[in-house]
PDB file of all heavy atoms in Angstrom:
ATOM      1  N   GLY A 288     -25.543 122.298  -8.301  1.00 88.00           N
ATOM      2  CA  GLY A 288     -26.418 122.559  -7.069  1.00 88.00           C
ATOM      3  C   GLY A 288     -26.779 123.929  -7.040  1.00 88.00           C
ATOM      4  O   GLY A 288     -26.617 124.720  -7.966  1.00 88.00           O
ATOM      5  N   ARG A 289     -27.364 124.338  -5.898  1.00 94.00           N
ATOM      6  CA  ARG A 289     -27.809 125.718  -5.606  1.00 94.00           C
ATOM      7  C   ARG A 289     -26.734 126.505  -4.952  1.00 94.00           C
ATOM      8  O   ARG A 289     -26.047 125.989  -4.038  1.00 94.00           O
ATOM      9  CB  ARG A 289     -29.030 125.636  -4.737  1.00 94.00           C
ATOM     10  CG  ARG A 289     -29.754 126.942  -4.572  1.00 94.00           C
ATOM     11  CD  ARG A 289     -31.026 126.810  -3.735  1.00 94.00           C
ATOM     12  NE  ARG A 289     -31.731 128.058  -3.692  1.00 94.00           N
ATOM     13  CZ  ARG A 289     -32.798 128.313  -2.895  1.00 94.00           C
ATOM     14  NH1 ARG A 289     -33.278 127.274  -2.071  1.00 94.00           N
ATOM     15  NH2 ARG A 289     -33.479 129.479  -2.860  1.00 94.00           N
ATOM     16  N   PRO A 290     -26.570 127.732  -5.328  1.00 97.00           N
ATOM     17  CA  PRO A 290     -25.467 128.547  -4.721  1.00 97.00           C
ATOM     18  C   PRO A 290     -25.685 128.682  -3.222  1.00 97.00           C
ATOM     19  O   PRO A 290     -26.772 128.838  -2.709  1.00 97.00           O
ATOM     20  CB  PRO A 290     -25.721 129.987  -5.421  1.00 97.00           C
ATOM     21  CG  PRO A 290     -26.405 129.692  -6.715  1.00 97.00           C
ATOM     22  CD  PRO A 290     -27.300 128.519  -6.407  1.00 97.00           C
ATOM     23  N   ARG A 291     -24.505 128.692  -2.572  1.00 98.00           N
ATOM     24  CA  ARG A 291     -24.521 129.023  -1.110  1.00 98.00           C
ATOM     25  C   ARG A 291     -24.465 130.574  -0.980  1.00 98.00           C
ATOM     26  O   ARG A 291     -23.736 131.231  -1.789  1.00 98.00           O
ATOM     27  CB  ARG A 291     -23.372 128.268  -0.380  1.00 98.00           C
ATOM     28  CG  ARG A 291     -23.437 126.850  -0.372  1.00 98.00           C
ATOM     29  CD  ARG A 291     -22.378 126.281   0.607  1.00 98.00           C
ATOM     30  NE  ARG A 291     -21.026 126.548   0.186  1.00 98.00           N
ATOM     31  CZ  ARG A 291     -20.303 125.643  -0.492  1.00 98.00           C
ATOM     32  NH1 ARG A 291     -20.777 124.406  -0.785  1.00 98.00           N
ATOM     33  NH2 ARG A 291     -19.091 125.925  -0.738  1.00 98.00           N
ATOM     34  N   PRO A 292     -25.201 131.049   0.058  1.00 98.00           N
ATOM     35  CA  PRO A 292     -25.156 132.566   0.248  1.00 98.00           C
ATOM     36  C   PRO A 292     -23.820 133.022   0.737  1.00 98.00           C
ATOM     37  O   PRO A 292     -23.207 132.283   1.591  1.00 98.00           O
ATOM     38  CB  PRO A 292     -26.267 132.777   1.277  1.00 98.00           C
ATOM     39  CG  PRO A 292     -26.408 131.498   2.012  1.00 98.00           C
ATOM     40  CD  PRO A 292     -26.071 130.427   1.010  1.00 98.00           C
ATOM     41  N   VAL A 293     -23.358 134.091   0.220  1.00 98.00           N
ATOM     42  CA  VAL A 293     -22.172 134.699   0.774  1.00 98.00           C
ATOM     43  C   VAL A 293     -22.362 136.274   0.857  1.00 98.00           C
ATOM     44  O   VAL A 293     -23.201 136.811   0.191  1.00 98.00           O
ATOM     45  CB  VAL A 293     -20.962 134.510  -0.152  1.00 98.00           C
ATOM     46  CG1 VAL A 293     -20.599 133.038  -0.261  1.00 98.00           C
ATOM     47  CG2 VAL A 293     -21.139 135.110  -1.552  1.00 98.00           C
ATOM     48  N   ASP A 294     -21.665 136.827   1.798  1.00 98.00           N
ATOM     49  CA  ASP A 294     -21.685 138.335   1.939  1.00 98.00           C
ATOM     50  C   ASP A 294     -20.524 138.948   1.129  1.00 98.00           C
ATOM     51  O   ASP A 294     -19.415 138.293   1.070  1.00 98.00           O
ATOM     52  CB  ASP A 294     -21.592 138.743   3.382  1.00 98.00           C
ATOM     53  CG  ASP A 294     -22.831 138.203   4.190  1.00 98.00           C
ATOM     54  OD1 ASP A 294     -23.854 137.970   3.520  1.00 98.00           O
ATOM     55  OD2 ASP A 294     -22.658 138.143   5.405  1.00 98.00           O
ATOM     56  N   ILE A 295     -20.693 140.095   0.518  1.00 97.00           N
ATOM     57  CA  ILE A 295     -19.635 140.724  -0.137  1.00 97.00           C
ATOM     58  C   ILE A 295     -19.826 142.240   0.164  1.00 97.00           C
ATOM     59  O   ILE A 295     -20.882 142.754   0.528  1.00 97.00           O
ATOM     60  CB  ILE A 295     -19.626 140.494  -1.668  1.00 97.00           C
ATOM     61  CG1 ILE A 295     -20.838 141.254  -2.277  1.00 97.00           C
ATOM     62  CG2 ILE A 295     -19.495 139.061  -2.078  1.00 97.00           C
ATOM     63  CD1 ILE A 295     -20.723 141.351  -3.808  1.00 97.00           C
ATOM     64  N   GLN A 296     -18.606 142.907   0.157  1.00 97.00           N
ATOM     65  CA  GLN A 296     -18.567 144.360   0.311  1.00 97.00           C
ATOM     66  C   GLN A 296     -17.557 144.868  -0.663  1.00 97.00           C
ATOM     67  O   GLN A 296     -16.410 144.348  -0.870  1.00 97.00           O
ATOM     68  CB  GLN A 296     -18.300 144.805   1.690  1.00 97.00           C
ATOM     69  CG  GLN A 296     -16.958 144.303   2.307  1.00 97.00           C
ATOM     70  CD  GLN A 296     -16.657 144.983   3.719  1.00 97.00           C
ATOM     71  OE1 GLN A 296     -17.021 146.176   3.875  1.00 97.00           O
ATOM     72  NE2 GLN A 296     -16.208 144.207   4.564  1.00 97.00           N
ATOM     73  N   THR A 297     -17.949 145.814  -1.538  1.00 96.00           N
ATOM     74  CA  THR A 297     -17.111 146.380  -2.525  1.00 96.00           C
ATOM     75  C   THR A 297     -16.079 147.368  -1.907  1.00 96.00           C
ATOM     76  O   THR A 297     -16.422 148.104  -0.996  1.00 96.00           O
ATOM     77  CB  THR A 297     -17.902 147.112  -3.691  1.00 96.00           C
ATOM     78  OG1 THR A 297     -18.469 148.278  -3.043  1.00 96.00           O
ATOM     79  CG2 THR A 297     -18.926 146.210  -4.188  1.00 96.00           C
ATOM     80  N   LEU A 298     -14.938 147.310  -2.432  1.00 95.00           N
ATOM     81  CA  LEU A 298     -13.783 148.106  -1.929  1.00 95.00           C
ATOM     82  C   LEU A 298     -12.818 148.400  -3.141  1.00 95.00           C
ATOM     83  O   LEU A 298     -12.809 147.668  -4.061  1.00 95.00           O
ATOM     84  CB  LEU A 298     -13.023 147.510  -0.766  1.00 95.00           C
ATOM     85  CG  LEU A 298     -13.804 147.356   0.584  1.00 95.00           C
ATOM     86  CD1 LEU A 298     -13.011 146.492   1.517  1.00 95.00           C
ATOM     87  CD2 LEU A 298     -13.922 148.773   1.225  1.00 95.00           C
ATOM     88  N   PRO A 299     -11.946 149.493  -3.065  1.00 94.00           N
ATOM     89  CA  PRO A 299     -11.006 149.640  -4.018  1.00 94.00           C
ATOM     90  C   PRO A 299     -10.049 148.403  -4.065  1.00 94.00           C
ATOM     91  O   PRO A 299      -9.900 147.659  -3.075  1.00 94.00           O
ATOM     92  CB  PRO A 299     -10.209 150.952  -3.591  1.00 94.00           C
ATOM     93  CG  PRO A 299     -11.188 151.649  -2.741  1.00 94.00           C
ATOM     94  CD  PRO A 299     -11.993 150.512  -2.056  1.00 94.00           C
ATOM     95  N   HIS A 300      -9.458 148.248  -5.262  1.00 95.00           N
ATOM     96  CA  HIS A 300      -8.559 147.011  -5.431  1.00 95.00           C
ATOM     97  C   HIS A 300      -7.418 147.121  -4.349  1.00 95.00           C
ATOM     98  O   HIS A 300      -6.917 148.146  -4.078  1.00 95.00           O
ATOM     99  CB  HIS A 300      -7.901 147.095  -6.797  1.00 95.00           C
ATOM    100  CG  HIS A 300      -7.156 145.874  -7.295  1.00 95.00           C
ATOM    101  ND1 HIS A 300      -7.801 144.754  -7.676  1.00 95.00           N
ATOM    102  CD2 HIS A 300      -5.832 145.632  -7.185  1.00 95.00           C
ATOM    103  CE1 HIS A 300      -6.880 143.905  -7.971  1.00 95.00           C
ATOM    104  NE2 HIS A 300      -5.648 144.354  -7.642  1.00 95.00           N
ATOM    105  N   PRO A 301      -7.153 145.942  -3.698  1.00 94.00           N
ATOM    106  CA  PRO A 301      -7.432 144.567  -4.095  1.00 94.00           C
ATOM    107  C   PRO A 301      -8.778 144.001  -3.516  1.00 94.00           C
ATOM    108  O   PRO A 301      -8.894 142.785  -3.399  1.00 94.00           O
ATOM    109  CB  PRO A 301      -6.262 143.784  -3.620  1.00 94.00           C
ATOM    110  CG  PRO A 301      -5.911 144.516  -2.350  1.00 94.00           C
ATOM    111  CD  PRO A 301      -6.108 145.929  -2.703  1.00 94.00           C
ATOM    112  N   GLY A 302      -9.592 144.862  -3.023  1.00 96.00           N
ATOM    113  CA  GLY A 302     -10.922 144.509  -2.529  1.00 96.00           C
ATOM    114  C   GLY A 302     -11.851 144.037  -3.642  1.00 96.00           C
ATOM    115  O   GLY A 302     -11.472 143.956  -4.877  1.00 96.00           O
ATOM    116  N   PHE A 303     -13.123 143.628  -3.261  1.00 97.00           N
ATOM    117  CA  PHE A 303     -14.052 143.102  -4.228  1.00 97.00           C
ATOM    118  C   PHE A 303     -14.464 144.258  -5.187  1.00 97.00           C
ATOM    119  O   PHE A 303     -14.887 145.264  -4.670  1.00 97.00           O
ATOM    120  CB  PHE A 303     -15.242 142.553  -3.490  1.00 97.00           C
ATOM    121  CG  PHE A 303     -16.184 141.763  -4.440  1.00 97.00           C
ATOM    122  CD1 PHE A 303     -16.003 140.324  -4.536  1.00 97.00           C
ATOM    123  CD2 PHE A 303     -17.177 142.330  -5.195  1.00 97.00           C
ATOM    124  CE1 PHE A 303     -16.843 139.583  -5.383  1.00 97.00           C
ATOM    125  CE2 PHE A 303     -17.962 141.643  -6.017  1.00 97.00           C
ATOM    126  CZ  PHE A 303     -17.819 140.261  -6.115  1.00 97.00           C
ATOM    127  N   PRO A 304     -14.350 144.132  -6.456  1.00 96.00           N
ATOM    128  CA  PRO A 304     -14.671 145.220  -7.377  1.00 96.00           C
ATOM    129  C   PRO A 304     -16.024 145.537  -7.441  1.00 96.00           C
ATOM    130  O   PRO A 304     -16.918 144.749  -7.553  1.00 96.00           O
ATOM    131  CB  PRO A 304     -14.153 144.669  -8.819  1.00 96.00           C
ATOM    132  CG  PRO A 304     -14.128 143.153  -8.583  1.00 96.00           C
ATOM    133  CD  PRO A 304     -13.855 142.871  -7.156  1.00 96.00           C
ATOM    134  N   THR A 305     -16.352 146.839  -7.363  1.00 95.00           N
ATOM    135  CA  THR A 305     -17.729 147.325  -7.532  1.00 95.00           C
ATOM    136  C   THR A 305     -18.344 147.027  -8.790  1.00 95.00           C
ATOM    137  O   THR A 305     -19.539 146.776  -8.834  1.00 95.00           O
ATOM    138  CB  THR A 305     -17.716 148.883  -7.330  1.00 95.00           C
ATOM    139  OG1 THR A 305     -19.090 149.383  -7.434  1.00 95.00           O
ATOM    140  CG2 THR A 305     -16.885 149.681  -8.397  1.00 95.00           C
ATOM    141  N   ASP A 306     -17.429 146.819  -9.861  1.00 96.00           N
ATOM    142  CA  ASP A 306     -18.010 146.433 -11.205  1.00 96.00           C
ATOM    143  C   ASP A 306     -18.525 145.013 -11.264  1.00 96.00           C
ATOM    144  O   ASP A 306     -19.089 144.634 -12.263  1.00 96.00           O
ATOM    145  CB  ASP A 306     -16.964 146.737 -12.258  1.00 96.00           C
ATOM    146  CG  ASP A 306     -16.918 148.173 -12.688  1.00 96.00           C
ATOM    147  OD1 ASP A 306     -17.725 148.893 -12.183  1.00 96.00           O
ATOM    148  OD2 ASP A 306     -15.993 148.578 -13.441  1.00 96.00           O
ATOM    149  N   MET A 307     -18.321 144.192 -10.193  1.00 97.00           N
ATOM    150  CA  MET A 307     -18.854 142.848 -10.152  1.00 97.00           C
ATOM    151  C   MET A 307     -19.965 142.636  -9.148  1.00 97.00           C
ATOM    152  O   MET A 307     -20.446 141.554  -8.986  1.00 97.00           O
ATOM    153  CB  MET A 307     -17.657 141.883  -9.768  1.00 97.00           C
ATOM    154  CG  MET A 307     -16.713 141.551 -10.850  1.00 97.00           C
ATOM    155  SD  MET A 307     -17.508 140.784 -12.349  1.00 97.00           S
ATOM    156  CE  MET A 307     -18.245 139.368 -11.638  1.00 97.00           C
ATOM    157  N   GLN A 308     -20.317 143.795  -8.493  1.00 97.00           N
ATOM    158  CA  GLN A 308     -21.319 143.689  -7.518  1.00 97.00           C
ATOM    159  C   GLN A 308     -22.726 143.345  -8.044  1.00 97.00           C
ATOM    160  O   GLN A 308     -23.416 142.408  -7.555  1.00 97.00           O
ATOM    161  CB  GLN A 308     -21.534 145.018  -6.793  1.00 97.00           C
ATOM    162  CG  GLN A 308     -22.512 145.092  -5.684  1.00 97.00           C
ATOM    163  CD  GLN A 308     -23.763 145.874  -6.267  1.00 97.00           C
ATOM    164  OE1 GLN A 308     -24.808 145.267  -6.535  1.00 97.00           O
ATOM    165  NE2 GLN A 308     -23.641 147.126  -6.336  1.00 97.00           N
ATOM    166  N   ALA A 309     -23.145 143.779  -9.127  1.00 97.00           N
ATOM    167  CA  ALA A 309     -24.401 143.461  -9.785  1.00 97.00           C
ATOM    168  C   ALA A 309     -24.546 142.045 -10.255  1.00 97.00           C
ATOM    169  O   ALA A 309     -25.568 141.386 -10.009  1.00 97.00           O
ATOM    170  CB  ALA A 309     -24.691 144.425 -10.983  1.00 97.00           C
ATOM    171  N   GLN A 310     -23.447 141.564 -10.877  1.00 98.00           N
ATOM    172  CA  GLN A 310     -23.458 140.156 -11.288  1.00 98.00           C
ATOM    173  C   GLN A 310     -23.546 139.243 -10.130  1.00 98.00           C
ATOM    174  O   GLN A 310     -24.306 138.184 -10.209  1.00 98.00           O
ATOM    175  CB  GLN A 310     -22.101 139.797 -12.068  1.00 98.00           C
ATOM    176  CG  GLN A 310     -21.970 140.722 -13.314  1.00 98.00           C
ATOM    177  CD  GLN A 310     -21.258 142.008 -13.048  1.00 98.00           C
ATOM    178  OE1 GLN A 310     -21.467 142.713 -12.008  1.00 98.00           O
ATOM    179  NE2 GLN A 310     -20.221 142.303 -13.882  1.00 98.00           N
ATOM    180  N   PHE A 311     -22.935 139.554  -9.000  1.00 98.00           N
ATOM    181  CA  PHE A 311     -22.989 138.680  -7.774  1.00 98.00           C
ATOM    182  C   PHE A 311     -24.413 138.804  -7.192  1.00 98.00           C
ATOM    183  O   PHE A 311     -24.844 137.827  -6.559  1.00 98.00           O
ATOM    184  CB  PHE A 311     -21.883 139.050  -6.780  1.00 98.00           C
ATOM    185  CG  PHE A 311     -20.837 137.938  -6.712  1.00 98.00           C
ATOM    186  CD1 PHE A 311     -19.867 137.940  -7.833  1.00 98.00           C
ATOM    187  CD2 PHE A 311     -20.831 137.067  -5.678  1.00 98.00           C
ATOM    188  CE1 PHE A 311     -18.855 136.904  -7.714  1.00 98.00           C
ATOM    189  CE2 PHE A 311     -19.815 136.139  -5.674  1.00 98.00           C
ATOM    190  CZ  PHE A 311     -18.933 136.067  -6.620  1.00 98.00           C
ATOM    191  N   MET A 312     -25.039 139.900  -7.306  1.00 98.00           N
ATOM    192  CA  MET A 312     -26.389 140.035  -6.681  1.00 98.00           C
ATOM    193  C   MET A 312     -27.366 139.088  -7.464  1.00 98.00           C
ATOM    194  O   MET A 312     -28.145 138.477  -6.916  1.00 98.00           O
ATOM    195  CB  MET A 312     -26.915 141.483  -6.792  1.00 98.00           C
ATOM    196  CG  MET A 312     -28.236 141.659  -6.080  1.00 98.00           C
ATOM    197  SD  MET A 312     -28.847 143.303  -6.050  1.00 98.00           S
ATOM    198  CE  MET A 312     -27.735 144.126  -5.012  1.00 98.00           C
ATOM    199  N   THR A 313     -27.163 139.016  -8.825  1.00 98.00           N
ATOM    200  CA  THR A 313     -28.038 138.026  -9.508  1.00 98.00           C
ATOM    201  C   THR A 313     -27.785 136.664  -9.051  1.00 98.00           C
ATOM    202  O   THR A 313     -28.708 135.929  -8.867  1.00 98.00           O
ATOM    203  CB  THR A 313     -27.634 138.132 -11.034  1.00 98.00           C
ATOM    204  OG1 THR A 313     -28.094 139.425 -11.522  1.00 98.00           O
ATOM    205  CG2 THR A 313     -28.285 137.049 -11.876  1.00 98.00           C
ATOM    206  N   LEU A 314     -26.465 136.261  -8.900  1.00 98.00           N
ATOM    207  CA  LEU A 314     -26.150 134.902  -8.287  1.00 98.00           C
ATOM    208  C   LEU A 314     -26.749 134.634  -6.985  1.00 98.00           C
ATOM    209  O   LEU A 314     -27.324 133.611  -6.691  1.00 98.00           O
ATOM    210  CB  LEU A 314     -24.604 134.782  -8.293  1.00 98.00           C
ATOM    211  CG  LEU A 314     -24.018 133.371  -7.911  1.00 98.00           C
ATOM    212  CD1 LEU A 314     -24.492 132.312  -8.901  1.00 98.00           C
ATOM    213  CD2 LEU A 314     -22.519 133.424  -7.929  1.00 98.00           C
TER     214      LEU A 314
END
Side-chain angles (χ1 to χ4, degrees):
R289 190 177 182 187
R291 293 194 293 263
V293 298
D294 297 338
I295 66 168
Q296 58 175 322
T297 66
L298 289 167
H300 192 78
F303 193 93
T305 181
D306 280 353
M307 283 300 304
Q308 177 258 103
Q310 299 90 314
F311 252 75
M312 186 179 291
T313 291
L314 185 60

